[in-house]
Amino acid sequence: PLSGYEYVTCGSVINLKHVDSQYFLVSQYVAYSTGSRQQSVTAAQGRGDADTFWMVSSKYSPNPNEFSCPQGAKIRNGQIIRLSHILSEKQLHAHSNHAAPFTNHNLEVSSWGKENGPSNEADNWEVILLLSQPFWIRQSQVRFRHIATGRYLSAEPANVYPHPIFGHIEVSAGNVPQYWEADFGLYFAPSEPQIQEENE
């Protein structure tokens, strides 16, 4: 990354890569056929596709005056955020009452609501970094813990979807922490107004 753009900051628009599979977090206009029947979240090969971009957003709070993630602020270890899908404007969401499509002991993850519309606590995720890191750095390993359920954002390479999202793998919320990385995207430098597109 270019100097000054090493950090993931509030308002950054990023690809999230699952470390073990090297697949990217995706949401498409394809609803689950079971469970919540909301817009599906999967992981797929190929960075930079329109459906792989997520914006780092303020956590949901019932207090409309609380703004916890001003643009350009570094993301701290333990900070609670939302991940807003750019193409659909929906939030990365997990369900306590719906099992994942393949891995029944995990919970379903979907896209739901809108950035400036319906949202709730089930859209909130805690950023968990390696112990030596106070702030989220690009291309470093990170885990996401779902606040409402305590589960971790996970991908299962063995669970592959058929048509119409052939080749995508299951994303769910599980008990075992898994690692992700912030990859290609549009990043706000800390306390700077401009954005920098990076592909390194």
Side-chain angles (χ1 to χ4, degrees):
L2 295 178
S3 177
Y5 294 90
E6 301 92 342
Y7 295 97
V8 180
T9 56
C10 297
S12 293
V13 177
I14 62 177
N15 283 171
L16 280 172
K17 181 171 65 177
H18 182 242
V19 172
D20 286 346
S21 67
Q22 300 291 291
Y23 279 43
F24 293 87
L25 190 68
V26 169
S27 189
Q28 294 185 326
Y29 294 109
V30 176
Y32 288 119
S33 60
T34 59
S36 71
R37 300 185 183 274
Q38 295 173 2
Q39 184 170 306
S40 60
V41 173
T42 60
Q45 293 178 315
R47 69 198 285 216
D49 292 342
D51 52 13
T52 64
F53 286 102
W54 302 81
M55 183 171 67
V56 180
S57 303
S58 298
K59 71 177 182 179
Y60 167 80
S61 172
N63 179 2
N65 297 318
E66 183 177 1
F67 190 65
S68 64
C69 199
Q71 183 175 290
K74 296 177 185 178
I75 302 298
R76 304 181 311 276
N77 187 27
Q79 185 167 338
I80 299 170
I81 62 168
R82 289 180 296 171
L83 291 167
S84 305
H85 188 240
I86 291 297
L87 202 61
S88 66
E89 301 181 355
K90 296 179 183 295
Q91 308 295 328
L92 187 70
H93 187 90
H95 299 265
S96 61
N97 58 338
H98 295 300
F102 294 102
T103 312
N104 290 331
H105 57 272
N106 285 2
L107 300 176
E108 180 193 288
V109 171
S110 67
S111 288
W112 178 82
K114 291 282 186 179
E115 169 63 18
N116 296 310
S119 187
N120 59 35
E121 289 86 352
D123 299 333
N124 287 340
W125 300 81
E126 180 185 7
V127 175
I128 303 176
L129 307 173
L130 299 178
L131 293 179
S132 59
Q133 292 183 354
F135 297 103
W136 187 3
I137 298 174
R138 297 171 55 182
Q139 299 175 343
S140 64
Q141 294 186 349
V142 58
R143 293 162 289 176
F144 298 99
R145 187 177 70 86
H146 188 240
I147 294 300
T149 63
R151 303 289 189 96
Y152 294 89
L153 186 66
S154 304
E156 304 300 333
N159 297 335
V160 182
Y161 284 96
H163 181 80
I165 47 176
F166 179 79
H168 290 220
I169 63 174
E170 180 187 46
V171 167
S172 63
N175 288 313
V176 179
Q178 293 188 13
Y179 289 99
W180 300 78
E181 293 178 355
D183 194 74
F184 173 78
L186 295 168
Y187 289 84
F188 285 91
S191 303
E192 295 290 337
Q194 75 271 17
I195 57 177
Q196 173 73 34
E197 184 171 352
E198 178 72 299
N199 186 10
E200 294 186 354

